[in-house]
Amino acid sequence: ASIKNWAGAPQELTEEQILFLTSGEMDKLYKKKKFACNACPVGCGAIYQFKFGDKQVEDSSRPEYETLGSFGSMLLNGDSLSVNKCNYLCNEYGYDTISMGATVAWVMENYNKGVFTKEELSGIDLSWGNPEAIVQLTELICKNEGIGRILNKGSQAAAEALNKGHEALVTASGIEIPQHDSRYGPGLARTYQYDPTPGRHVKGGLGISHGSQPPELKYNYTDTGEKDVAGVATQEMINAAGYCSFAEFGLPPQSMLKYLNAITGFDYSEEEYNKAGLRSFAIRYAFNIREGFRRKDYKISDRIVGKPPLKDGPLAGVTLDNEKLADNFFEALGWDVAEGLPTKEWLLKTGGLEQVAAAM
Ligand code: SF4
């Protein structure tokens, strides 16, 4: 997970803080019972209970990875109760925990740099890692009160409304970024920047597994295009078919094709399965194209690609060539590389996209 609004290193957190944010430690404190989707033998969820002010919360979901990162390491916060309270508030009020935690991180960085004063922030002391302040600010945003009235559209909209704090933004086309660090897994930068819904943690590409490659391979972008396209096709099918995103890590892609055929009665070949995935990607892209978006309009904050590079920690010195990754991707896809547009031939060859081709 990212640290201190993507500007910190692991040594800024103590081992104890990190340990407190593991599910093993949190389960000891808050777990009421296990939770699973219907008929799942894994059952990755848990229901937590804890005291929140005068209220006894009995049915809060165990925070997942992204939530632990965005309300934990991003804020230098090792207090698991505050993370659970924020998770509960976001679920109750319908906020995304990634965007909420990242927006709080943006405020914290600006407060600690003197860009925002305590008075501007409804009197809250947003020093790094202050658990009460994190909950207070999250609650104001959820309830649309005080500074929360400006922050509830996210960090980029707030920077524009307040006309300051832009330097600390960590967004892709205005959306706060998830907790898998692209400086560790470079392919994530292409996904975050150029997915038609940017800044998502469940969209396809080279994925987090790109990060486990040795540095001489993962920071060398000579052959990323085809693998990136294959990852997009697979993930589009996972999302469209409603597969569990955890199961995808444990099953080879071919087994998902077999399940899909068995359940639906289709008889997709592997090629047809991949084409269906790319068709889904292209249709999603087509909405943006219709609204006038072109490749140059997909923006990503410098920090996400290591500009400037971190000075400390395992990712020190890393700067990505995100545009080269994108060149490779669009080229392997067979689209117009400069504009990020599918050609008419590509749409017709992929099949089922005649209406999209006609509209373009
Ligand atoms: S998210 Fe996936 S692994 Fe977790 S309970 Fe649901 S189906 Fe099972």
Side-chain angles (χ1 to χ4, degrees), residues 81 85 162 169 175 190 200 227 238 288 293 303 347:
L81 182 58
K85 287 176 178 175
L162 297 165
L169 286 172
I175 308 288
R190 202 287 304 153
R200 296 293 195 279
K227 291 177 198 154
I238 287 168
N288 296 0
F293 282 80
R303 208 174 280 187
L347 292 167

Side-chain angles (χ1 to χ4, degrees), residues 35-38 40-45 64 244-247:
F35 171 81
C37 300
N38 183 36
C40 174
V42 178
C44 69
E64 296 186 350
C244 166
S245 286
F246 288 121

Side-chain angles (χ1 to χ4, degrees), residues 194-197 236 278-294 298 330 333 335 339-343 346-347 352-360:
Y194 287 108
D195 189 86
T197 48
E236 289 288 335
L278 294 180
R279 195 156 52 232
S280 164
F281 180 77
I283 290 172
R284 294 197 301 111
Y285 233 98
F287 281 98
N288 296 0
I289 294 166
R290 187 190 61 192
E291 299 304 316
F293 282 80
R294 298 294 181 267
Y298 290 81
F330 287 119
L333 198 51
W335 289 18
E339 294 284 336
L341 291 174
T343 61
W346 187 93
L347 292 167
L353 296 170
E354 292 74 13
Q355 285 180 315
V356 175
M360 286 177 63

